[in-house]
């Protein structure tokens, strides 16, 4: 039995005929990104909200140090709940966290996190997980140094 060659009716809409690029990866979700790429990547376009350049992560880093968390995010084991598209994860990674575990429940947002990890070259210390963060907290017996939940609390019926 021989393989059937592709015909004119074969669906090739998921194939890219262009030179590989970071923009191609972002274009998989064209029109769906909330976040704009980091400012050091002006060659790329996606959403409009500057979450990859959000000053609140640096602010939190310094407040943690003010509170006695000696190195802030640096060298910390960080749990991030609801990373959306990985913007804050990216910034925490850039502060040299020892590890970042980011749990995202939305499947499309999770896939965008994976694209962001590759496109913006997050380190191997970053791990994105797909699933419910409350179920994760109940199932995993692990202590983290810092938890970040900036895009999640308003989704919870009882955030405490």
């Amino acid at each position: 039995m021989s393989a059937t060659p592709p015909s004119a009716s074969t669906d090739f809409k998921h194939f890219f005929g262009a030179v590989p690029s970071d923009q191609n990866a972002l274009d998989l979700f064209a029109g769906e990104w909330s976040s704009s790429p980091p400012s050091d990547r002006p060659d790329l376009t996606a959403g409009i909200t500057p979450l990859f350049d959000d000053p609140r992560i640096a602010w939190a880093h310094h407040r943690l140090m003010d509170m006695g968390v000696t190195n802030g995010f640096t060298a910390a084991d960080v749990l991030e709940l609801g990373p959306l598209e990985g913007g804050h994860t990216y910034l925490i990674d850039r502060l040299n966290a020892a590890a970042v575990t980011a749990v995202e429940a939305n499947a499309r947002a999770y896939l965008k996190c994976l694209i962001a990890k590759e496109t913006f070259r997050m380190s191997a210390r970053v791990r994105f997980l797909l699933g419910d963060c409350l179920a994760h907290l109940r199932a995993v017996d692990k202590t983290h140094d810092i938890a970040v939940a900036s895009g999640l609390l308003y989704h919870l019926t009882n955030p405490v």
Side-chain angles (χ1 to χ4, degrees), residues 8-144:
S9 64
T10 304
D11 181 8
F12 286 104
K13 70 180 181 182
H14 297 291
F15 288 80
F16 276 76
V19 172
S21 72
D22 289 336
Q23 188 63 56
N24 287 351
L26 296 175
D27 287 348
L28 285 172
F29 291 98
E32 295 183 43
W33 288 91
S34 296
S35 307
S36 57
S39 59
D40 66 350
R41 294 299 310 270
D43 56 311
L44 300 176
T45 58
I48 61 170
T49 307
L51 296 177
F52 285 85
D53 294 302
D54 193 337
R56 294 175 295 178
I57 296 302
W59 174 86
H61 175 66
H62 294 291
R63 293 302 71 77
L64 287 165
M65 289 189 290
D66 290 346
M67 295 177 350
V69 179
T70 310
N71 297 315
F73 288 116
T74 303
D77 184 334
V78 180
L79 174 65
E80 183 181 13
L81 306 176
L84 183 62
E85 296 166 350
H88 291 167
T89 318
Y90 167 84
L91 293 169
I92 293 166
D93 184 45
R94 291 296 181 268
L95 290 167
N96 292 313
V100 182
T101 302
V103 182
E104 177 57 58
N106 180 303
R108 292 184 78 75
Y110 169 76
L111 292 172
K112 288 190 259 182
C113 286
L114 297 180
I115 290 169
K117 181 178 181 183
E118 182 66 21
T119 301
F120 306 129
R121 292 162 182 77
M122 290 183 220
S123 74
R125 299 181 311 262
V126 172
R127 177 86 198 276
F128 289 104
L129 303 175
L130 176 61
D132 181 82
C133 66
L134 296 178
H136 173 75
L137 291 171
R138 288 184 196 104
V140 176
D141 186 24
K142 178 174 167 73
T143 302
H144 297 274

